[in-house]
Amino acid sequence: MNQNKTDVAIIGGGIIGCAIAYELAKRQVDVILIEKASRVGTEASWAGAGILTSHASTHEPYPELCRASLAMYPSLATELKSETDIDIEFIRSGTLSVFFDEAEAAGLIGLAERRVNRGFSAEVLTPEQAWELEPAVSKSIAGAVLFPEDGHVRNPKMVAALTKGAANFGAKFLLGNPVTEFVREKGRVVGAVVNRETIHADSFVIAAGCWAGNLTALLDFPISISPAKGQIVLLETMPPLIQRTIDGLGIYIVQRADGKILLGATVEFVGYDKTASLDGVKQMIDAAVVIAPELAQSTFVQTWAGLRPYYKQGPCLGYLPGYDNVVLASGHFKNGILLAPITGQLIAELITTGQTSLPLESFKPNAI
């Protein structure tokens, strides 16, 4: 294959771009993935906690998308381990959502009841039942709801597995330089310029996270995908303190298999600033200690921040209006890790067959 000509050029090497590359390469499509950083998965895909949750109770398109992607994880984890020898550490741990007062109880119990009535899983627990599952949870809780199908994954390992899997199927990776312009002929995009060289392709996928709008602007289609900073705190407890993801008081607590614990995450619209703040870190630590007091004795390891791609009607999945060979796949906000498997599958289906196994009409890109 001429290194400057391919079937599909994917712009963006986060988990979404890598998932699309993997699914296309599996279908024997020639793929070049272009990433401005020197390696893949360096932004939100690395910074996230890897939570896989879908708590909505309706059959609206977005909850259906989330549920479909969550259901793909067990088989995908097995597939990636077999193909790449990388364990993405998928664990179906369940989520324990704790509440401390009547207002919180009403909302969570109501959600649990609606889910059960519509055939989804959820279980309302007394404080005693919650403590039996997670003894470290505060004795001040008023109860909890268990979402047993939730899980989590080591997202950097998943990006690595998708990348290796895509490469095994023939995908190429062009790292270290951004796309600076597009080449158009007769109303179609025919090339992407990278480091003064043009990568020609039949189709293009823009999967550049919160930088996607900068690329669509080059195609005269302004779209508002904004960076939403999320700070995370990393702690360590040995032996592990909890078994399930726990959420409450506006935060989540994720116990990894290696004894590390992740606390997250803030939502801050402060542009492309990734600095961690004392206030954000303090808020998360304070809430975590209220939920699980023993965390006060854990070891503080580090803190960091990532930039999620926020789009009001997100995510954006489908052809860019005005172009029949440019696909946008961004705006996943907090659920990029969760939605990577289904996004990869649907975009690959769209490009190769023109038909998708789930409708994308609700997610079509719209201008600002």
Side-chain angles (χ1 to χ4, degrees), residues 131-169:
W131 297 327
E132 185 174 348
L133 292 179
E134 295 291 350
V137 167
S138 169
K139 296 301 184 284
S140 299
I141 65 167
V145 171
L146 177 65
F147 299 94
E149 294 180 11
D150 290 351
H152 56 86
V153 69
R154 283 291 292 275
N155 33 301
K157 290 192 173 185
M158 184 170 174
V159 173
L162 290 169
T163 304
K164 185 176 180 181
N168 288 347
F169 285 113

Side-chain angles (χ1 to χ4, degrees), residues 146-297:
L146 177 65
F147 299 94
E149 294 180 11
D150 290 351
H152 56 86
V153 69
R154 283 291 292 275
N155 33 301
K157 290 192 173 185
M158 184 170 174
V159 173
L162 290 169
T163 304
K164 185 176 180 181
N168 288 347
F169 285 113
K172 303 293 191 296
F173 292 81
L174 182 58
L175 308 177
N177 288 286
V179 168
T180 53
E181 62 179 295
F182 292 100
V183 179
R184 287 177 275 187
E185 292 180 4
K186 299 178 181 178
R188 300 184 89 240
V189 175
V190 297
V193 178
V194 182
N195 197 24
R196 296 187 297 278
E197 293 200 12
T198 301
I199 306 299
H200 296 275
D202 297 323
S203 297
F204 296 82
V205 179
I206 297 175
C210 59
W211 291 270
N214 300 336
L215 291 165
T216 66
L218 296 176
L219 296 171
D220 306 314
F221 192 86
I223 191 163
S224 182
I225 297 179
S226 307
K229 182 167 81 170
Q231 298 187 53
I232 285 184
V233 175
L234 185 67
L235 310 175
E236 184 171 26
T237 60
M238 288 301 287
L241 186 63
I242 60 177
Q243 300 299 314
R244 294 157 188 82
T245 297
I246 300 177
D247 67 24
L249 302 179
I251 68 156
Y252 56 73
I253 306 171
V254 181
Q255 178 80 65
R256 291 195 328 209
D258 62 1
K260 300 292 195 302
I261 284 184
L262 293 162
L263 311 180
T266 62
V267 178
E268 305 168 60
F269 293 95
V270 291
Y272 290 89
D273 173 21
K274 289 194 294 184
T275 56
S277 69
L278 183 62
D279 182 58
V281 169
K282 183 178 184 301
Q283 287 181 35
M284 289 185 287
I285 291 174
D286 287 348
V289 171
V290 171
I291 292 169
E294 288 180 59
L295 284 175
Q297 308 306 315

